[in-house]
Amino acid sequence: MISKTVLRWLTLVALVGLSLGVMVPAALATDITACPFTISSPGTFDVTKNLTATGTSCIKVHSDNVAIDLKGHTITGDKTVGHHGITDEGLFFVTGVAIANGKIKDFADGIGFFGDCCDSSHVITITHVDSSDNKFNGIFIEGSDNALTDVRTNHNGEDGIDLDSNDNLITNSQANDNTFDGIFAVSHNAVSNVQTNHNGTDGLDFDGFDNIVTKSTASNNTGDGMEFDDDDNRVANSVANDNKIVGMDLHICCNNTVTKVTANHNATGVVLSCDGGHGNAVRVSAHNNSVKNLSEIGTCTDLLNNAP
């Protein structure tokens, strides 16, 4: 049976394809040569040089179906509150925006799209972007169905990636050394090949249910490596070592599964709730944790911990 999250992945891939459909031949792209620059109609836009924004946001997106290619350039702000590198300014709930190929730094949020948390779709796709060293968040998005690939969000003053939304896909990315969480999201999210290390609170923090994490690392965080605040979550082929509190914390209700994971040198290696008998831990390596290696809440099935 295909899981709910996988079905949402497939839907998201289709939506991303639609957003990328705004691409036009390079000769027809509009050049962005200075900040501020307001986009008020659909199309493709190329940044032609490094840009600096003083006392303003840089690229203001007021239209749906927009593709922005940074062309390897850097957009730099002055860390003024309320000014963002690329943003809808909270005035326009735009959809179908693709951002690629460059660096954004020294803004309030490097990328900021605002609106409804979980019931509306932004369909923001971000690829090959480094949004580090911002005053608050590297990337902040309210609104669901977003895709982030090959993204770097390090050394930000709050979260690396803050997705106050559902149904997001994050792959091949990193969110390290941020003051708060590496990555924050709500429900129905898929995370793969992601590193979230040395953050001030949690590496990965999910405030909802039905999230999947695979092939990811969340180590050396001041809080939990991975925290899940609702049920029906799955972690596989991942590592969470040397976190101050819990390596992998799946402490709510039921239907949680951890498979082929490593959680060493934390306070507690893995916390797994299996209330009602639903949930399991298979091939868990949890060694040398100071409080407990594997903490079972309720009665878990197929329980196998390789730790002594």
Side-chain angles (χ1 to χ4, degrees), residues 11-264:
T11 302
L12 178 56
V13 168
L15 291 170
V16 169
L18 290 174
S19 76
L20 294 177
V22 305
M23 293 290 186
V24 296
L28 300 180
T30 300
D31 289 344
I32 299 176
T33 60
C35 304
F37 185 93
T38 300
I39 298 173
S40 55
S41 59
T44 298
F45 299 82
D46 290 349
V47 174
T48 61
K49 62 181 180 179
N50 294 335
L51 302 178
T52 299
T54 303
T56 180
S57 295
C58 185
I59 301 175
K60 304 175 183 183
V61 182
H62 295 177
S63 172
D64 297 339
N65 300 325
V66 166
I68 301 168
D69 191 342
L70 299 173
K71 294 288 183 179
H73 295 109
T74 299
I75 300 175
T76 304
D78 59 5
K79 292 193 176 180
T80 302
V81 174
H83 296 154
H84 314 292
I86 301 176
T87 180
D88 63 359
E89 300 188 282
L91 303 173
F92 302 85
F93 191 90
V94 298
T95 62
V97 177
I99 303 167
N101 305 323
K103 186 172 183 178
I104 304 167
K105 65 176 184 176
D106 294 335
F107 287 93
D109 296 331
I111 295 172
F113 287 85
F114 305 90
D116 180 82
C117 165
C118 305
D119 295 326
S120 300
S121 296
H122 257 312
V123 195
I124 309 297
T125 67
I126 304 172
T127 308
H128 307 306
V129 170
D130 185 335
S131 186
S132 300
D133 299 299
N134 294 287
K135 185 177 182 67
F136 298 132
N137 304 293
I139 297 171
F140 179 86
I141 302 175
E142 292 176 311
S144 299
D145 300 302
N146 308 292
L148 283 61
T149 301
D150 192 18
V151 166
R152 304 291 180 267
T153 56
N154 304 323
H155 301 286
N156 294 288
E158 291 189 354
D159 296 340
I161 299 170
D162 186 342
L163 304 178
D164 283 5
S165 57
N166 300 330
D167 303 297
N168 302 292
L169 177 64
I170 307 174
T171 59
N172 301 318
S173 297
Q174 63 178 236
N176 300 326
D177 297 291
N178 297 288
T179 301
F180 295 159
D181 291 337
I183 297 174
F184 174 88
V186 186
S187 297
H188 311 302
N189 300 286
V191 173
S192 182
N193 289 305
V194 164
Q195 295 180 15
T196 56
N197 304 320
H198 298 282
N199 294 289
T201 50
D202 301 326
L204 289 166
D205 184 359
F206 296 100
D207 197 34
F209 57 91
D210 190 25
N211 298 288
I212 297 176
V213 177
T214 61
K215 299 179 181 178
S216 296
T217 300
S219 296
N220 295 106
N221 297 287
T222 302
D224 293 343
M226 304 178 186
E227 180 171 1
F228 301 83
D229 289 328
D230 212 321
D231 60 0
D232 198 21
N233 300 289
R234 292 161 295 288
V235 182
N237 300 297
S238 296
V239 176
N241 295 333
D242 298 291
N243 298 286
K244 293 292 185 181
I245 304 179
V246 181
M248 299 176 183
D249 192 353
L250 299 89
H251 61 279
I252 300 295
C253 187
C254 44
N255 294 322
N256 297 301
T257 300
V258 289
T259 306
K260 298 181 182 178
V261 302
T262 299
N264 300 328

